């Protein structure tokens, strides 16, 4: 599709057509479904969204890290078009089809760890997390699950219990699943000064031993870089120390790679950035299929095989069209150049963000890896959260045609998850807008 890769504003944001559509939406769609920016998107390509008023926005969020390969990526469009005309559904557990198996094969090939792997496919990230826990419980014959402060794992009943934040994910939606305990995360910006990753892991491990008991734990679930929590990168050594402990205690270590995985950080999986961190299972979704809904659990064969046949599945899981889209994405990553693009994006964005941090004392920290970067806003001179400034900057960016997303337990983080198809020029333009916004404070 011919959409010029440039920002272009022809109305105010949101434009009149978007405003009219939004009015109707509020009459038609349940209000529990939120809206970050009520601009109605008609088409998209690469890193540019085109709205119904004809505005072209720079997409620095990729629908929360989903269109990593770029909007309407040619190979994805072709694969989906061909597949949809050929076969859309049988239910894999009734009569199987090839794309499902091929997706599993590629995921098994790239999951880190020297052991035999298998995969199973689902529809959403939350569903993948649920299934990872089912398998971990079945395999270990234990019940308890440990998750981390600031974690996010989804919106189903079990995953609601695994999230850290009450609002908006849990408030009033209980009762929640039991046997889930939150333990302290490594959060270098807020941990005691000088706390190492090993020390932060020891703090978490001590907590789990006292509060839960290692022998009762089926799984420890961790995002190797926390997503909704605000792109929190644990201190070096944290993940490895945790990994050594789970292994020694027969606990299944689940890396929730839903947001950080799939080339986003410059490697297939964010887990690969820390040597010695060896998850047993990984949950994969968001960026895997260019926007088509599909997710996976990949991991140790003996854990994946621990369920009796029929225990794992679902009607739409690994749907042929979504699987064809995933294959188109996975093959491009395998072909090379995609991971490098994430590193290139970091090399453009990070220096710009660090320079802004120098200029604007409301920026407390710049962090993240690859094309998964964030800034945390503080009250100048402190580490106290500053949600008001975050909201003001978000609004400025939106009004100027740059789609950014927030994050963080205290709503004081802006995260950047551009498509890996984005040009350096667009990245710099988005940074110019952000900088201009900071200048208005
Ligand atoms: C988004 C997300 C999920 C949930 O994925 P859905 O597809 O929305 O169910 C789970 N874990 C992490 C880390 C996520 O970012």
């Amino acid at each position: 599709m011919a959409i010029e890769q440039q920002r272009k504003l022809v109305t105010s944001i949101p434009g009149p057509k978007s405003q009219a559509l939004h009015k109707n939406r509020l009459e038609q769609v349940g209000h529990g479904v939120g809206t970050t920016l009520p601009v109605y998107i008609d088409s998209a390509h690469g890193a540019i969204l085109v709205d119904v008023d004809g505005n072209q926005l720079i997409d620095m969020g990729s629908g929360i890290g989903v269109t990593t390969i770029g909007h309407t990526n040619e190979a994805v469009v072709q694969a989906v078009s061909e597949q949809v005309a050929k076969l859309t559904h049988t239910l894999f557990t009734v009569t199987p089809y090839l794309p499902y198996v091929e997706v599993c094969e590629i995921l098994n090939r790239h999951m880190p760890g020297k052991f035999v792997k298998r995969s199973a496919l689902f529809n959403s990230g939350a569903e993948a997390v649920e299934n990872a826990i089912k398998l971990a419980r079945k395999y270990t014959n234990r019940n308890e699950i440990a998750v981390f402060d600031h974690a996010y794992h989804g919106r189903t009943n079990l995953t609601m219990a695994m999230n850290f934040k009450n609002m908006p994910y849990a408030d009033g939606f209980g009762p929640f699943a039991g046997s889930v305990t939150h333990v302290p995360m490594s959060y270098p910006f807020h941990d005691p000064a000088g706390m190492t990753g090993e020390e932060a892991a020891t703090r978490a491990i001590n907590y789990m031993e006292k509060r839960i008991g290692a022998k009762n734990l089926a799984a420890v679930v961790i995002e190797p870089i926390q997503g909704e929590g605000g792109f929190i990168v644990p201190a070096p050594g944290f993940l490895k120390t945790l990994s050594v402990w789970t292994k020694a205690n027969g606990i299944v270590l689940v890396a929730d790679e839903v947001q950080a995985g799939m080339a986003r950080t410059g490697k297939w999986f964010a887990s690969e950035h820390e040597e010695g961190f060896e998850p047993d299972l990984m949950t994969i979704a968001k960026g895997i299929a260019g926007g088509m809904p599909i997710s996976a659990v990949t991991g140790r064969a003996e854990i994946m095989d621990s369920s009796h046949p029929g225990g794992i599945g679902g009607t739409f899981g690994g749907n042929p069209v979504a699987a064809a889209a995933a294959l188109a994405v996975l093959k491009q990553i395998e072909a090379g150049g995609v991971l490098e693009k994430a590193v290139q994006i970091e090399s453009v964005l990070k220096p710009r963000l660090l320079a802004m941090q120098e200029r604007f004392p409301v920026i407390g920290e710049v962090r993240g890896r690859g094309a998964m970067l964030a800034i945390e806003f503080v009250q100048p001179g402190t580490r106290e959260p500053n949600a008001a400034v975050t909201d003001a900057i978000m609004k400025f960016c939106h009004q100027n045609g740059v789609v950014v997303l927030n994050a963080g337990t205290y709503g004081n983080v802006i995260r950047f998850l551009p498509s890996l198809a984005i040009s350096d020029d667009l990245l710099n333009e988005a940074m110019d807008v952000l900088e201009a916004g900071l200048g208005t404070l």
Side-chain angles (χ1 to χ4, degrees), residues 139-224:
Y139 176 72
T140 58
N141 207 18
R142 304 172 180 177
N143 293 332
E144 296 299 317
I145 304 298
V147 291
F148 287 83
D149 291 347
H150 313 292
Y152 179 80
H153 298 289
R155 291 172 185 272
T156 57
N157 186 262
L158 173 57
T159 55
M160 275 196 293
M162 298 168 68
N163 297 338
F164 185 68
K165 260 168 109 163
N166 174 50
M167 278 298 279
Y169 308 124
D171 195 70
F173 297 144
F176 302 105
S179 293
V180 175
T181 306
H182 283 88
V183 307
M185 177 62 181
S186 164
Y187 191 163
F189 186 58
H190 291 289
D191 282 339
M195 180 180 244
T196 64
E198 288 79 5
E199 287 163 353
T202 303
R203 175 176 67 180
I205 289 165
N206 283 340
Y207 188 88
M208 287 187 273
E209 284 178 339
K210 298 298 171 219
R211 182 83 181 88
I212 312 164
K215 68 174 176 31
N216 298 316
L217 267 170
V220 170
V221 184
I222 186 157
E223 298 159 84

Side-chain angles (χ1 to χ4, degrees), residues 64 123-127 129 152-155 223 225 227-228 256-260 283 285-286 295 415:
I64 316 193
N123 304 287
S124 68
E127 206 186 342
V129 172
Y152 179 80
H153 298 289
R155 291 172 185 272
E223 298 159 84
I225 299 177
E228 304 304 299
D256 184 346
E257 290 264 5
V258 168
Q259 194 157 158
T283 53
K286 291 195 165 93
S295 66
R415 56 179 149 172

